[in-house]
Amino acid sequence: DTLIRVYKYWIKVADIDGFRIDTVKHMESSATALFCNAIREYARRIGKHNFFLFGEVVADDAVLQQYIGRNSRIPGTTERFPSLDACLDFPLYFILEEVIKGFAPPALLRERYQRFRTLYADHGQAGEHVVTFVDNHDQMSRPYRRFLHNNPHSLQAVLAMGFLLTSPGVPCMYYGTEQGFDGGGNNDACVRECMFGGTWGGFDSMGQHFFNPNHPLYVAIARIAAIRRQEPALRSGRLYFREISGNGQDFGHPLDGRCTLAYSRILDQSEILVALNLDASPRNDYVTLDAGLHPVGSLLEDLLEPGWTTRVEERSGRHVVRIELTGHTMRILAAKQDQSWV
């Protein structure tokens, strides 16, 4: 009761809109459920109908399902699991870095999202229940190193965040990613560099100010985030991974990590096609898309580079577009506006 009153107080005083609840799996389920329900009711009473409660549960999808929404009973008891709006998406975290860096096949991503179709009636809305991330302050499977640690390819951070911002989930960016933080070492202080270092700043952050809204990574990630805000399909659309072809004849899902990773988000009659070049070298692949939404001859425009267009062709009985990408870059394609129809 005391904890509940304390956290109600901070919601009121600081106008807080959500809580991240740490180590939920290791807390008493009944006490956590009482806390979640009390906080949710208080938030609704004061007009915060979208107050967001998400938890850190390091587990697979089957375990995460017990904590989300349904508030299901703990087997063999009358107790209930905590009723959370979402959990951190550790199943994605354990594979995403390796796929983005080209060390693991994209098939792992397809398998991960295929499970959404068995877990949720509406897999387009499934993303509301997972908070996606590429690194954080704990680094469960990669102790004490950030995504960019010892990584000369800084643009891969844009690809990683670009994937989170255009795929299902509530994207969460660990502070400093947008400033190129690349800490790593033998304890967790190595991944908790100071953004505004005083006399306590670790590494080279002592006395330094690192928040630079003109940093190239910051600018690139912000552009993708702005597109996510304006395109409902990127927030709520169904996800389909697309087949690719180098010659326009032989299509298939990419087999290795040095590839064009392409996928669509579809919401109603709107399709956004996203293509990421996971290779350091340029690529120029044909990518499939929905034939019913994009007739042959129509144009798709890159929302990241307005004015860059590609025309829909028919190849091997499929509707496709050819997408040119320089190394470690991405495109977000939508039907050119002056061709829209109702």
Side-chain angles (χ1 to χ4, degrees):
D1 182 65
T2 300
L3 282 173
I4 289 168
R5 285 190 290 154
V6 166
Y7 281 89
K8 285 180 180 179
Y9 170 83
W10 284 112
I11 293 171
K12 177 182 178 181
V13 170
D15 192 25
I16 289 169
D17 293 318
F19 289 139
R20 173 197 185 277
I21 305 176
D22 196 56
T23 60
V24 172
K25 193 168 67 169
H26 305 292
M27 299 161 63
E28 283 188 359
S29 296
S30 57
T32 311
L34 286 171
F35 175 85
C36 290
N37 290 331
I39 293 299
R40 185 177 287 107
E41 286 190 3
Y42 174 73
R44 287 173 180 164
R45 183 171 71 82
I46 64 172
K48 290 180 177 286
H49 297 286
N50 293 314
F51 196 87
F52 192 51
L53 292 167
F54 72 100
E56 181 197 44
V57 181
V58 185
D60 59 19
D61 286 305
V63 174
L64 297 184
Q65 284 294 297
Q66 297 172 337
Y67 290 88
I68 298 172
R70 294 191 303 265
N71 204 207
S72 56
R73 290 192 183 279
I74 299 172
T77 76
T78 59
E79 301 293 332
R80 291 182 177 272
F81 285 99
S83 180
L84 299 168
D85 297 305
C87 285
L88 285 165
D89 193 348
F90 278 96
L92 177 64
Y93 163 75
F94 288 131
I95 61 173
L96 181 60
E97 178 173 333
E98 285 71 23
V99 173
I100 293 296
K101 291 181 176 179
F103 301 147
L108 295 178
L109 287 179
R110 299 200 305 275
E111 293 166 4
R112 191 271 168 281
Y113 288 105
Q114 185 64 32
R115 293 195 293 273
F116 275 8
R117 302 191 183 201
T118 62
L119 294 170
Y120 299 97
D122 181 349
H123 68 91
Q125 295 294 314
E128 295 181 0
H129 303 297
V130 290
V131 176
T132 56
F133 65 103
V134 70
D135 59 8
N136 64 18
H137 64 286
D138 284 331
Q139 298 300 302
M140 297 295 180
S141 66
R142 311 172 184 92
Y144 317 134
R145 67 172 176 81
R146 283 179 175 264
F147 178 85
L148 284 177
H149 181 61
N150 288 336
N151 183 359
H153 303 296
S154 62
L155 286 179
Q156 288 182 335
V158 179
L159 292 184
M161 284 309 306
F163 180 83
L164 297 186
L165 287 162
T166 57
S167 62
V170 180
C172 177
M173 181 171 66
Y174 185 42
Y175 85 96
T177 296
E178 81 290 357
Q179 301 298 327
F181 280 18
D182 59 358
N186 60 4
N187 62 72
D188 61 11
C190 299
V191 295
R192 302 182 184 189
E193 307 99 314
C194 291
M195 181 73 79
F196 309 103
T199 58
W200 58 85
F203 299 108
D204 295 322
S205 64
M206 185 178 294
Q208 300 293 319
H209 175 96
F210 285 98
F211 187 74
N212 175 17
N214 295 316
H215 192 288
L217 297 183
Y218 183 104
V219 172
I221 294 169
R223 289 174 63 203
I224 302 168
I227 293 172
R228 175 189 172 87
R229 282 195 299 272
Q230 75 185 29
E231 296 293 341
L234 292 179
R235 302 191 301 274
S236 303
R238 290 168 278 130
L239 174 72
Y240 299 96
F241 285 95
R242 295 306 190 187
E243 295 183 346
I244 65 171
S245 171
N247 59 18
Q249 301 297 321
D250 305 306
F251 285 86
H253 291 292
L255 299 177
D256 61 51
R258 307 298 183 183
C259 68
T260 297
L261 174 65
Y263 51 92
S264 294
R265 302 294 304 279
I266 296 180
L267 185 66
D268 189 35
Q269 296 296 305
S270 174
E271 176 176 13
I272 305 294
L273 179 63
V274 182
L276 286 70
N277 182 2
L278 304 185
D279 198 345
S281 300
R283 295 193 64 90
N284 190 10
D285 290 317
Y286 291 94
V287 178
T288 59
L289 71 169
D290 192 298
L293 297 177
H294 303 285
V296 171
S298 61
L299 293 175
L300 271 66
E301 183 172 27
D302 186 0
L303 301 180
L304 283 170
E305 187 184 341
W308 189 96
T309 61
T310 182
R311 192 173 298 277
V312 178
E313 308 174 40
E314 184 173 349
R315 297 269 179 159
S316 296
R318 307 157 185 261
H319 286 202
V320 303
V321 288
R322 194 159 196 177
I323 303 178
E324 298 175 2
L325 290 160
T326 55
H328 294 149
T329 58
M330 68 182 294
R331 294 193 186 276
I332 305 175
L333 302 171
K336 192 167 173 57
Q337 286 300 306
D338 57 12
Q339 300 179 119
S340 61
W341 54 273
V342 179

